[in-house]
Amino acid sequence: MALAHEPTSFLQVRKVRPRPVHSSVSASAVKSRVYVAMAAFAMVYIAIAGRLVVLAEMEEAPSSALMSAQDSVSAARPDLIDRNGEILATDIKTASIYAEPRRVLDVDEAVDGLMRVLPDLDEAKVRRRLESRAGFIWLKREASPFEADQVHNLGLPGISYLYETQRFYPGGPTAGHIVGSVNVDNQGLTGIEKYIDRAWLSDLQQLGFTAGRTMEPVRLAMDLRVQHVVRDELVKALERYQAIAAVGIVLDVRTGEVVAMSSLPDYDPNDRAQALEKDRMNRATGGVYEMGSVFKAFTTAMALDSGKVSVQDSFDATRPIRAGGRTISDFHGKNRILSVPEIFIYSSNIGTAKMMLSAGIDKQQEFLGRLGLTSRLQTELPENASPLLPPKWNELAAMTISFGHGLSVTPMQTAVAAAALVNGGRLLPPTFLPRTEDEANALGKQVISPDVSKVMRYLFRLNVLSGSGRRSKVSGYTVGGKTGTAEKIENGKYVRNKRRNSFLSAFPMDDPRYVVLTVIDEPKPVPPSRSATAGLNAGPVAASIIRRIAPMLGVMPRYGEGSEPIEISY
């Protein structure tokens, strides 16, 4: 019997149940590996973050130093202008090259590049400073735009430049001793620049009130036109008389304003190194000198003010005076009795000394102190010297002081005291800043009577008409003045062939407006003359100045008037 078979498919699929896989690693081991990996990643991130912090700190230090440098050099200063608004000093922008040594990648490369474009630098010093790893150093201040571009084109990491403020003086040396100068950080060193720092500017800068702000200009009393004339005439005088130095001052007798002041040799404040040369000192306010016979004007005023001498009196000048083992004589003696006006115009030492003795030594000392000639003069300028007084103010000292020896004062003191002699008798403190007549009167003090002042104006004018100041006449103007020829002292002795000459003048003498003082140091004779007294040099220089500045100052010439002395009543 055949077996019956169940039908089957061509392909028969068998279901296979998967066997479970049994791992040899436990679950706890897997977790440990995960934690280790996470910790490793965390350490990497921490390391990266730490490096970033270090890099950030390295970047921050030089940036902070650079910002500090920028703050210190960007302190602005106000413009200085003359009384008419002409700019005397202003700020300009200039490039200064610096380095941040910590950012310099290759010191050798940096030094080589810098020396190619800045050959004036000290290579050893530059290398030493770049290797210091400091945050910030200056390489060159006040560089030219071309030098800044050259440094920029080097493309050296850590080497660059910034713009800072630099002071610029358009007039150069014209008014150098008045405006003064600043240092490389734009801080005042001398003159008015130093004054405004002390007065208020430094405080404002420290408080940050000057950063990014335009300040009102500081106006001076000086007239730049007059200043130019004074300096120009002094330059000519140095050449003509082969002198070693000169001083010129123009002072407003009604306000005490210093309209012009020049001292030669001077300096260009744009080249501050010149200011350190001793021959370029400010002789007008910073030097003291025996002024010679111009002091006879003060002695005459003192004698008249004492009431013991009148302009009608006469004194015996026939013989020299012996005092303290010394002989006092006249340069060109008349050898006769001289009236007070004759003593003045002939510049008699004998007559002047006798006038002083008539008034008294104590009176002389008190009067010169009253005029401010025995104490330090105060002005806005820091350069103010103190007078040199005699160690003993005895009879001999008093006699020599009466004609300008034995007491040394500044030319500015002389001009200020002279203004009081001609302006009606009021001593006005000098100023380099604008001042009105009302403000001046509030500050002034009466030192001689108006009547004595009128007599002094008469004597000054008479001296130009008939005395030692004859070469100081100016057509159309009633100029008055007094000459002074003082022998210089060397090794404790007076040297006969070395003189410091001066001419103390004022104009117009019928109604004085300005005092003009000129001082010529060691002038030489101009052939054919064999003499070099003040009437031959300091006087004509003052006349040349007056001739040029009078119209600028609004003092017009008056022809046909003023040819005779001022009338006075005795």
Side-chain angles (χ1 to χ4, degrees):
M1 172 177 178
L3 294 175
H5 296 282
E6 294 180 0
T8 61
S9 62
F10 182 75
L11 292 176
Q12 186 175 11
V13 178
R14 296 181 60 186
K15 291 183 179 180
V16 179
R17 182 178 296 177
R19 295 180 180 180
V21 179
H22 298 285
S23 173
S24 61
V25 181
S26 67
S28 60
V30 173
K31 289 182 180 180
S32 297
R33 290 182 179 181
V34 172
Y35 291 147
V36 169
M38 292 173 63
F41 278 112
M43 292 297 292
V44 170
Y45 282 118
I46 290 173
I48 293 174
R51 182 57 178 168
L52 290 175
V53 170
V54 172
L55 292 175
E57 290 179 349
M58 290 180 64
E59 186 71 20
E60 181 181 357
S63 296
S64 176
L66 178 57
M67 290 176 62
S68 176
Q70 287 174 322
D71 290 341
S72 66
V73 301
S74 296
R77 302 182 66 84
D79 287 351
L80 300 182
I81 58 177
D82 84 331
R83 65 188 305 118
N84 300 312
E86 296 292 333
I87 294 180
L88 305 173
T90 189
D91 284 346
I92 60 173
K93 293 297 182 180
T94 185
S96 287
I97 300 165
Y98 69 89
E100 297 174 272
R102 297 177 188 173
R103 299 183 59 197
V104 175
L105 301 180
D106 189 330
V107 172
D108 291 334
E109 179 188 15
V111 171
D112 290 343
L114 289 171
M115 296 312 300
R116 285 200 308 271
V117 299
L118 303 173
D120 56 324
L121 295 183
D122 185 326
E123 181 175 351
K125 183 178 180 180
V126 171
R127 181 179 297 277
R128 184 171 61 254
R129 299 186 71 192
L130 291 180
E131 291 174 345
S132 68
R133 310 303 294 171
F136 178 91
I137 60 171
W138 287 114
L139 292 173
K140 184 172 183 178
R141 307 287 292 275
E142 299 176 356
S144 69
F146 176 76
E147 290 173 326
D149 286 342
Q150 291 287 92
V151 169
H152 175 74
N153 293 336
L154 291 175
L156 296 171
I159 310 291
S160 188
Y161 66 90
L162 57 81
Y163 285 104
E164 59 176 326
T165 301
Q166 180 185 359
R167 204 63 163 162
F168 176 63
Y169 303 89
T174 303
H177 283 121
I178 295 179
V179 299
S181 59
V182 299
N183 62 16
V184 71
D185 291 321
N186 227 26
Q187 298 168 335
L189 294 176
T190 59
I192 294 297
E193 297 281 30
K194 180 70 171 179
Y195 164 74
I196 62 175
D197 274 14
R198 288 179 173 178
W200 51 271
L201 183 58
S202 292
D203 292 339
L204 291 183
Q205 290 174 342
Q206 290 176 3
L207 294 172
F209 290 156
T210 62
R213 299 184 182 183
T214 301
M215 289 175 282
E216 287 293 321
V218 175
R219 188 179 299 271
L220 305 188
M222 182 189 72
D223 189 317
L224 187 58
R225 303 168 303 170
V226 177
Q227 179 71 21
H228 168 75
V229 169
V230 172
R231 183 179 186 276
D232 183 57
E233 291 297 336
L234 293 183
V235 169
K236 293 177 183 177
L238 289 185
E239 181 178 358
R240 177 174 176 78
Y241 304 113
Q242 301 176 42
I244 63 172
V247 171
I249 295 171
V250 179
L251 186 72
D252 189 323
V253 305
R254 298 179 181 178
T255 64
E257 293 171 300
V258 180
V259 181
M261 184 193 78
S262 185
S263 172
L264 299 182
D266 53 12
Y267 69 95
D268 185 346
N270 293 304
D271 182 3
R272 64 180 66 90
Q274 290 185 2
L276 302 177
E277 300 176 20
K278 64 178 182 179
D279 289 340
R280 300 179 186 273
M281 67 171 287
N282 179 6
R283 291 170 169 82
T285 63
V288 292
Y289 313 101
E290 294 182 346
M291 296 300 295
S293 292
V294 298
F295 247 62
K296 291 172 182 173
F298 306 130
T299 300
T300 303
M302 179 270 299
L304 295 172
D305 182 75
S306 71
K308 297 179 180 180
V309 176
S310 77
V311 74
Q312 296 172 308
D313 290 340
S314 298
F315 293 85
D316 187 358
T318 56
R319 288 182 296 274
I321 303 174
R322 292 284 298 175
R326 303 291 180 89
T327 300
I328 296 174
S329 58
D330 288 339
F331 182 62
H332 289 301
K334 298 299 179 181
N335 303 315
R336 62 178 175 83
I337 295 175
L338 300 176
S339 66
V340 168
E342 288 177 324
I343 290 171
F344 194 84
I345 67 174
Y346 297 143
S347 200
S348 171
N349 295 338
I350 299 171
T352 303
K354 289 189 174 182
M355 278 198 298
M356 182 279 302
L357 291 173
S358 296
I361 297 175
D362 292 340
K363 174 65 175 179
Q364 179 197 48
Q365 194 168 359
E366 182 276 330
F367 185 79
L368 294 180
R370 196 192 311 170
L371 290 182
L373 293 170
T374 59
S375 58
R376 184 173 182 263
L377 183 68
Q378 298 295 326
T379 72
E380 291 84 5
L381 302 188
E383 303 85 19
N384 293 300
S386 297
L388 295 180
L389 308 180
K392 292 183 179 180
W393 205 303
N394 52 24
E395 183 180 65
L396 177 60
M399 293 173 74
T400 58
I401 288 171
S402 72
F403 51 82
H405 289 273
L407 174 63
S408 298
V409 299
T410 67
M412 183 62 74
Q413 282 181 293
T414 307
V416 171
L421 299 189
V422 301
N423 71 359
R426 290 187 65 78
L427 182 68
L428 304 176
T431 180
F432 289 87
L433 303 176
R435 178 193 288 162
T436 66
E437 288 190 37
D438 289 340
E439 292 170 339
N441 290 332
L443 296 171
K445 60 180 180 178
Q446 197 76 28
V447 290
I448 61 173
S449 69
D451 288 340
V452 171
S453 177
K454 188 173 183 179
V455 173
M456 292 310 302
R457 297 202 303 271
Y458 163 79
L459 295 176
F460 277 126
R461 178 60 178 159
L462 184 64
N463 189 50
V464 170
L465 291 174
S466 309
S468 59
R470 291 189 302 275
R471 291 177 176 82
S472 307
K473 296 177 183 177
V474 178
S475 178
Y477 294 96
T478 54
V479 176
K482 181 71 186 78
T483 55
T485 302
E487 293 178 349
K488 298 178 69 172
I489 298 176
E490 288 187 0
N491 301 319
K493 296 181 179 180
Y494 287 102
V495 181
R496 299 189 67 86
N497 63 344
K498 290 187 177 182
R499 303 179 179 90
R500 184 178 290 107
N501 295 351
S502 54
F503 188 69
L504 180 61
S505 62
F507 74 99
M509 291 310 299
D510 54 335
D511 186 19
R513 292 287 308 278
Y514 300 96
V515 160
V516 177
L517 173 65
T518 54
V519 182
I520 311 296
D521 197 351
E522 294 189 21
K524 310 301 185 296
V526 177
S529 175
R530 300 175 61 183
S531 178
T533 55
L536 299 173
N537 39 66
V541 172
S544 297
I545 291 173
I546 293 171
R547 188 176 297 111
R548 293 175 63 181
I549 70 172
M552 297 177 182
L553 295 171
V555 183
M556 294 296 105
R558 292 178 297 169
Y559 295 98
E561 298 182 35
S563 59
E564 297 299 328
I566 300 166
E567 294 183 2
I568 61 173
S569 57
Y570 299 118

